[in-house]
Amino acid sequence: MIDRLLSADPPRSRLLAVLLLATVLGLACAPFLFPGAKALGVAAKMLVFILLVASYDLLLGYTGIVSFAHTMFFGIGAYGVAIAATRLGGEDGVGFGALLMGLAGALGLSLLLGLLIGLFSLRVKAIFFAMITLAVAAAFQGLASQLSELTGGEDGLSFSVPEVLTPAFEPFEAPVLGRVIDGQVITYYLLFGVVLLVFLALLRVVNSPFGRVLQAIRENDFRAEAIGYRSAVYRTGSTLVSALVATLAGALLALWLRYTGPDTTLSFEIMLDVLLIVVIGGMGTMYGAVLGSVLFVFAQNYLQEGLRWMGGEGGWLAEVPVLGALVSPDRWLLWLGLGFVLCVYHFPTGLVGRLRARSTTGPSPADH
């Protein structure tokens, strides 16, 4: 049963299986284990990034396509939901129909743009294709900022959601397991359910004959063509699937935040974050998207607080001349970058690749 659910692609490492199980259970129980608003927001962001990174790993890790336009599809999903909610909401508020129409429109636009970008890959390869996608993403971000009447410009769009998803909605009078169940908790579990189902679907895709051909194209495009596979068709198909999943991830983020803007979904910093997470988790491993996203988002949100405890005002290292300046909360990006460098140095195949290799070969002499 579990083997079929995972599309015959188990973790293949006992430690990896434990980490993945702990992650899934932690995210599933997050509203009850971490009742604070910030903690729930961080867990929701982890869910969104798991889906976003998994979709990009299909493109980069499984097909070998380097694209910088992924956040464009992410933004299309967010703006599709936001524009539909602001324009199609009636007197009784926003209904699920308006959100679904916005999502459908965003998926259709992403399908069209993904097809055009996929056709670019027929004539342009490697770094030149990456530069074209970077230019397209930058142009789309500028367009979103300038069409202020439609997109809200630099200020973005705030919108309402159906009443059942608002924090004011409380279906139960009494708390459940010590937690008041409100619309925000319902929204969180909506995100959790969608991310879980789509992630399992992506696992099925990469372990299907289609996914095997993508990996063959990644390893040797010429040989894949020689045995009869039209690599252009498969590359385009990978681009389309990746774009649609990224669009869905953007829609989920907008639904959680009830807001979207250029910096929230279209920023190039998000694209860099996605690249870092793919490398940290392990390219060509869907499970790497899970561990990498959780680790990165956690560090991004709590590393600064940890440094504030050590080097902030009243911190136990604040008075140490040089060390106090190094562990200042303002230096959190320095430590995040250092952690990334160490992670890449010690785990060149990513966390999942290292754990799987360790399980296959056993501990190395250096581990003793």
Side-chain angles (χ1 to χ4, degrees):
M1 176 64 181
I2 296 180
D3 192 57
R4 290 186 60 187
L5 194 65
L6 299 178
S7 303
D9 185 15
R12 299 200 296 274
S13 165
R14 186 170 299 176
L15 179 57
L16 177 58
V18 170
L19 291 175
L20 289 172
L21 182 61
T23 299
V24 173
L25 291 177
L27 290 174
C29 302
F32 302 98
L33 295 177
F34 316 105
K38 179 180 178 179
L40 192 61
V42 171
K45 188 177 180 181
M46 288 177 179
L47 291 173
V48 171
F49 264 78
I50 286 172
L51 201 57
L52 180 62
V53 173
S55 66
Y56 190 69
D57 195 31
L58 174 65
L59 201 61
L60 177 62
Y62 285 90
T63 318
I65 298 176
V66 180
S67 171
F68 292 116
H70 210 60
T71 49
M72 178 182 71
F73 301 114
F74 188 54
I76 287 173
Y79 273 105
V81 170
I83 292 172
T86 54
R87 297 300 178 95
L88 301 179
E91 296 180 358
D92 298 331
V94 179
F96 283 101
L99 299 180
L100 291 175
M101 288 181 63
L103 177 60
L107 290 173
L109 180 58
S110 293
L111 194 65
L112 177 61
L113 292 176
L115 181 61
L116 293 176
I117 291 177
L119 293 177
F120 268 122
S121 67
L122 299 180
R123 294 186 175 275
V124 185
K125 301 294 183 182
I127 188 64
F128 303 104
F129 176 75
M131 292 299 100
I132 288 177
T133 58
L134 178 60
V136 171
F140 191 86
Q141 183 179 7
L143 192 65
S145 299
Q146 293 174 8
L147 296 177
S148 56
E149 293 185 1
L150 182 65
T151 63
E154 293 291 342
D155 296 330
L157 289 174
S158 296
F159 58 94
S160 302
V161 294
E163 183 183 1
V164 69
L165 302 180
T166 59
F169 179 78
E170 297 182 4
F172 306 111
E173 295 182 0
V176 177
L177 299 177
R179 168 83 193 204
V180 176
I181 304 299
D182 55 15
Q184 194 171 36
V185 175
I186 296 173
T187 305
Y188 177 83
Y189 280 112
L190 175 62
L191 265 65
F192 181 84
V194 172
V195 170
L196 181 62
L197 290 176
V198 178
F199 182 82
L200 292 176
L202 285 174
L203 263 182
R204 181 61 56 90
V205 168
V206 299
N207 290 288
S208 68
F210 174 78
R212 300 301 182 191
V213 174
L214 293 182
Q215 295 173 60
I217 293 172
R218 177 196 64 193
E219 297 299 327
N220 195 312
D221 191 4
F222 179 77
R223 287 184 180 178
E225 287 274 7
I227 61 177
Y229 294 112
R230 299 180 62 183
S231 61
V233 175
Y234 284 91
R235 284 175 179 271
T236 303
S238 174
T239 301
L240 293 178
V241 174
S242 177
L244 293 177
V245 176
T247 303
L248 179 59
L252 293 177
L253 180 64
L255 189 64
W256 173 258
L257 297 176
R258 301 191 295 278
Y259 165 82
T260 190
D263 294 335
T264 308
T265 53
L266 295 173
S267 171
F268 187 67
E269 292 180 6
I270 299 176
M271 187 69 249
L272 293 179
D273 291 346
V274 172
L275 279 169
L276 292 180
I277 295 171
V278 169
V279 174
I280 291 171
M283 288 191 293
T285 61
M286 281 291 153
Y287 298 122
V290 178
L291 295 185
S293 297
V294 170
L295 182 63
F296 184 86
V297 174
F298 181 85
Q300 194 178 46
N301 285 272
Y302 290 105
L303 180 59
Q304 192 172 14
E305 290 189 6
L307 292 175
R308 185 177 292 112
W309 177 70
M310 290 190 296
E313 186 176 353
W316 58 284
L317 291 176
E319 302 301 326
V320 180
V322 177
L323 194 58
L326 285 176
V327 297
S328 169
D330 297 332
R331 305 285 191 276
W332 72 277
L333 278 175
L334 168 67
W335 292 102
L336 185 64
L338 181 61
F340 171 71
V341 171
L342 292 175
C343 188
V344 172
Y345 179 78
H346 290 287
F347 309 111
T349 57
L351 294 174
V352 173
R354 176 58 183 261
L355 290 175
R356 282 179 166 175
R358 181 186 175 90
S359 177
T360 303
T361 61
S364 64
D367 295 325
H368 293 289

